[in-house]
Amino acid sequence: MGASSAIARTRSLYERVRKVVSPVEWALMAADVEAILELKRARNAVILAHNYQAPAIFHCVADLVGDSLALAREARSVEADTIVLAGVHFMAETAKLLNPDKRVLIPDTRAGCSLAESITPEDVRLIRARYPGVPVVTYVNTSAAVKAESDICCTSGNARAVVESLGVERVVMLPDEYLARNIAAETDVDIIAWTGHCEVHELFTAADVAELRASYPGLVVLAHPECSPEVVAAADYSGSTAGIARYVEAQRPGRVVLLTECSMSDNIAALNPGIDFVRPCNLCPHMKRITLPKIRRALETMQHEVTIDPAVAEGARRAVERMLEVR
Ligand code: SF4
């Protein structure tokens, strides 16, 4: 009775995701969706969701959605008391850095990132000692402690602009080797890379692209720049998740594959009927730790709150805010 009532009351929300969520799946989600919407009102909370979140989170309970850059920008202007970050831990830290008076909750503290885990503050200090005077550009996919050791942050959406904004011949770019090499191919700035990889994007290969093209005639291939340079070279376009979404909406390819996290295709497919999405599915295990029941629990218990050591926060905030000034 309760479940069927929730299904009936959330019918209009289900319309947003019915192309990618079956009625049977929705029957298991409806009560959590309804409870989360009520808890958000009661707690004066907003949910910021990354593009890699599952469709029911992305389309039905989130207030603000986007890539890392968009979420960082949006976090600054949140007026609600509480931010629930439906994404991974470094994103919640970034929201806390940019809006320190708000309570920021992460529904599962184990939602990490292979890139963030690939480098420590001590590593950055050693790199600085090896390349004295060379500015350090750090991808936002890092801990606040690593950001605090950096001159400026970047995202996949603004990496080239950030590197070129510094007006120098050489930069260190951490920690994603592939993003650094892909940006190096676009700019005259000499880039020193680290050895971190995204465990999702590194799985795609140029041979996969060739196989996909052979299997699906007319296929348009869009790759995230965390993929290897060989994959990016084999693709028709490379860009951040926001860039990929814009490409699909503007170009409306008949058949497309997104070489990025699997839920991204579902989220764009829900908004773009008539486009055939080919889905080789690589899920991010960290992003998928965030679920509707965990978001509901976070709002019920007001846990888990993200805190940052003030000594670290000052330097990390400076690096993120300097990035946000780059256009
Ligand atoms: S998709 Fe890759 S970069 Fe993004 S959170 Fe997962 S491991 Fe990190």
Side-chain angles (χ1 to χ4, degrees), residues 46-74:
V46 296
I47 297 177
L48 271 56
H50 188 262
N51 289 334
Y52 294 161
Q53 288 296 298
I57 296 173
F58 186 91
H59 288 293
C60 300
V61 302
D63 299 280
L64 302 162
V65 297
D67 61 3
S68 302
L69 181 58
L71 294 183
R73 288 207 173 110
E74 297 286 2

Side-chain angles (χ1 to χ4, degrees), residues 70-190:
L71 294 183
R73 288 207 173 110
E74 297 286 2
R76 287 197 295 189
S77 50
V78 166
E79 290 184 357
D81 297 328
T82 297
I83 297 170
V84 179
L85 204 304
V88 295
H89 194 265
F90 75 79
M91 296 174 181
E93 277 194 333
T94 304
K96 182 70 181 174
L97 286 171
L98 293 172
N99 210 335
D101 295 336
K102 305 300 178 189
R103 185 197 302 250
V104 177
L105 304 177
I106 179 104
D108 187 327
T109 55
R110 297 168 302 166
C113 170
S114 65
L115 282 169
E117 282 148 27
S118 73
I119 191 157
T120 66
E122 175 65 9
D123 291 328
V124 184
R125 288 192 285 273
L126 289 171
I127 291 164
R128 278 198 187 279
R130 182 159 175 199
Y131 299 102
V134 179
V136 174
V137 178
T138 296
Y139 199 22
V140 285
N141 299 36
T142 48
S143 67
V146 165
K147 290 182 176 77
E149 298 290 336
S150 313
D151 293 287
I152 188 168
C153 287
C154 73
T155 70
S156 57
N158 65 12
R160 179 178 173 182
V162 166
V163 163
E164 294 183 346
S165 76
L166 298 174
V168 295
E169 291 180 359
R170 196 178 202 204
V171 303
V172 173
M173 195 169 168
L174 309 169
D176 187 344
E177 179 193 357
Y178 292 156
L179 178 66
R181 285 173 54 196
N182 285 323
I183 297 302
E186 297 176 1
T187 180
D188 292 333
V189 179
D190 182 24

